[in-house]
Amino acid sequence: MAHLFTGEILESAVAVHRGRVVGFGPREAKETLDLEGRILAPGLIDGHVHLESSMVTPGEFARGVVPRGTTTVVADPHEFANVCGMDGVEFVRRGNEVSPLEIQVMLPSCVPATDMETSGARLEARDLEGAFALEHVLGLGEVMSVPGVLQADEPVLAKLRAAFGRPVDGHAPGLSGPDLHAYVAAGIGSDHECTTSEEALEKLRAGMHLMLREGSVTRDLEALLPVVNAQTVGRCMLVTDDREPEDLLEEGHMDFLVRKAVGLGLPPLQALSMVSLNPARYFGLKALGAIAPGYQADMVVCEDLRNFRADLVFKRGRLVARGGEPLWQRRPQDAGSLSNRVHLAALDSDALEIPARGTRIRVIELVPDQIVTRQVLLEPKMVEGRVVSDPGRDLLRVAVLERHHGTGRIGLGMVRGFGLKRGALASTVAHDSHNLAVVGVEEADLRLAIAEIHRLGGGLVAVADGEVLARLPLPVAGLVCDRPLGEVREAIRALHDAARSMGCRLPRPFMSLAFLALAVVPALKLTDRGLVDVEAFRLVDLFIP
């Protein structure tokens, strides 16, 4: 047994009664299970995840992660809430009814994330206050409005006051010095956006809990692991943040993070603490995170901790997975008001055109394996007084169309880094407000991609030469599919294959497209309202005066 309070591996029987651990050592029991020398570890906890990134419903997500040892997740339904408000939060919370996975919720703090984009809903402090008393609600989700905190914006402070005494997660990439101190002093306790060990160490010194993120696009574990030592480990957690279907099924979930951390040199029991005891303590989940009397009997059986792979998984003392397979029946979850959430205005003939108003433009440049971007200034290709895509220089037209209220608002820009030689990619997964994002070469294909998304009621599409090459319908809020995880993975593989056939050189182009609209992460992003200079936190013109 892995005993995290003492850092020992003990040989002992564990007694369980009514879903709780009641003691150690030999006992009389109605049922006994011989683990045959294998190790019993606490159930794994993901301390920060957006379930929406899996592109499946909470019940399907559970079928993918519980057999790998994850028994609890702390979910921030920020994406659902930006489309559907509190109905989206409730959809995630009700996920507890359809699987053994324990879904704890952090109420979204920034809906919308900024005033420089159009979301489907708006949540104020008064909308959150009553929800803090609901079962499975822990605290306030990542506070992305760093300027709002630093400028003492009253709506932001009202949410912090409403969450007083509860955990409040942060989102502060690159924040340093006095600004960081002010942010922490406002009551924000964690951060998952560090990308360097220097940044992580400064935030630990400021009293924050450090979430070391290893997601599908943003993989920071290797860069941050040097700050974890015997003194700091108690304030560190491993989290996924965003994890795509292929990674969940091929690499794993928290089990993968444990294996990678140990492979990079972290002692196995420290790695295990960072996915069990540490998040449980930070979030006040007093009955989770360890195997000890009075604790919930959430446990995983594995052969060894250095190559952590779940053989058996118990939730509240009940065997729920064996050999990587779930042992419960699939139960559908009614999407209700989360359906039919794509409302696009008709496109005018010139809606996607960019009239030339200068000779230099601001271009969004992708950064490999990161959600941050760069701003570069370039001369665009112009034809008949209009800026057009220039695949020879990897300059492509990108547009974000408002899809919640049918306003017809469109933000237009140029991006470098996709590598497309033809065709277009489009998606209704576009953080944070999840408007429709589309990137491509020819305007006809851009329009076809938009039309196909509208027909599907949300989703991902790849088109080229007037033909739809691949698609994934996302009928639930335009964010997730109601099909099994394996089917969604195969659809995404087909989309990636299609993108590669069009010249794309990104391994996950749709996730890169999704983050092009994330107006709270530097440096230059695009929303339905236009280009956003994130560091200046303002809208800017595409053309340089």
Side-chain angles (χ1 to χ4, degrees), residues 437-492:
V438 58
V439 61
V441 180
E442 298 294 338
E443 183 169 325
D445 284 332
L446 291 167
R447 286 178 171 271
L448 176 59
I450 293 166
E452 179 66 7
I453 288 277
H454 200 182
R455 186 188 71 80
L456 293 174
L460 315 178
V461 301
V463 308
D465 304 323
E467 178 185 357
V468 178
L469 303 183
R471 61 173 68 83
L472 170 62
L474 299 176
V476 182
L479 299 176
V480 305
C481 187
D482 52 4
R483 303 299 301 159
L485 187 62
E487 291 185 22
V488 173
R489 172 187 60 181
E490 293 309 310
I492 292 174

Side-chain angles (χ1 to χ4, degrees), residues 57 59-60 63 96-99 328-334:
T57 60
E60 283 300 318
R63 294 180 70 82
N96 285 285
E97 301 169 1
V98 299
S99 85
W328 72 93
Q329 295 298 314
R330 180 178 280 111
R331 293 175 57 191
Q333 186 176 346
D334 183 17

Side-chain angles (χ1 to χ4, degrees), residues 50 52 76-84 242 431-432 434 479:
H50 302 283
E52 302 94 321
D76 183 346
H78 175 85
E79 323 303 344
F80 279 131
N82 264 284
V83 178
C84 308
D242 291 292
H431 304 281
D432 277 313
H434 298 288
L479 299 176

Side-chain angles (χ1 to χ4, degrees), residues 168-421:
V168 177
D169 284 340
H171 173 113
L175 197 63
S176 180
D179 286 347
L180 172 63
H181 304 156
Y183 185 76
V184 175
I188 298 163
S190 71
D191 188 78
H192 61 275
E193 290 290 341
C194 294
T195 58
T196 68
S197 58
E198 293 79 12
E199 179 185 359
L201 191 58
E202 182 178 7
K203 287 176 176 173
L204 283 169
R205 287 170 178 157
M208 301 190 92
H209 291 256
L210 180 65
M211 295 178 172
L212 292 80
R213 174 176 55 188
E214 188 73 6
S216 283
V217 167
T218 307
R219 298 176 179 253
D220 302 313
L221 178 57
E222 186 169 0
L224 302 183
L225 208 57
V227 307
V228 181
N229 55 45
Q231 188 66 36
T232 63
V233 65
R235 300 182 72 82
C236 296
M237 297 166 256
L238 303 179
V239 303
T240 62
D241 196 8
D242 291 292
R243 203 98 171 111
E244 285 195 327
E246 186 166 10
D247 292 329
L248 285 173
L249 292 173
E250 300 299 324
E251 291 181 340
H253 189 229
M254 304 311 293
D255 58 327
F256 169 71
L257 271 62
V258 171
R259 290 193 298 272
K260 183 164 185 177
V262 172
L264 290 169
L266 191 67
L269 286 175
Q270 288 191 6
L272 190 59
S273 293
M274 290 169 66
V275 295
S276 55
L277 185 59
N278 295 2
R281 283 175 166 171
Y282 170 68
F283 288 106
L285 299 169
K286 296 181 179 179
L288 301 182
I291 302 173
Y295 277 68
Q296 197 164 283
D298 295 0
M299 302 178 295
V300 182
V301 177
C302 62
E303 288 289 345
D304 69 88
L305 295 181
R306 290 192 173 276
N307 186 29
F308 190 101
R309 296 183 187 277
D311 294 335
L312 304 173
V313 182
F314 296 85
K315 183 64 180 178
R316 297 183 180 91
R318 181 169 65 93
L319 182 65
V320 294
R322 177 192 289 118
E325 296 296 328
L327 298 179
W328 72 93
Q329 295 298 314
R330 180 178 280 111
R331 293 175 57 191
Q333 186 176 346
D334 183 17
S337 64
L338 275 66
S339 301
N340 302 315
R341 286 287 181 161
V342 178
H343 307 291
L344 292 174
L347 283 181
D348 293 335
S349 60
D350 60 351
L352 301 180
E353 293 183 357
I354 304 176
R357 292 181 287 105
T359 58
R360 286 202 308 163
I361 59 172
R362 294 178 170 91
V363 174
I364 303 170
E365 183 174 68
L366 301 181
V367 177
D369 300 322
Q370 293 291 333
I371 61 176
V372 299
T373 61
R374 301 186 186 97
Q375 177 178 214
V376 294
L377 308 181
L378 298 172
E379 293 186 6
K381 179 180 179 180
M382 290 185 280
V383 175
E384 297 179 352
R386 295 177 293 113
V387 175
V388 297
S389 294
D390 186 359
R393 291 193 296 154
D394 192 16
L395 289 180
L396 302 177
R397 197 175 344 177
V398 60
V400 176
L401 291 74
E402 192 278 313
R403 62 105 162 174
H404 303 294
H405 311 290
T407 63
R409 187 180 298 113
I410 303 176
L412 296 168
M414 301 294 287
V415 63
R416 182 167 73 177
F418 278 91
L420 289 176
K421 302 300 183 184

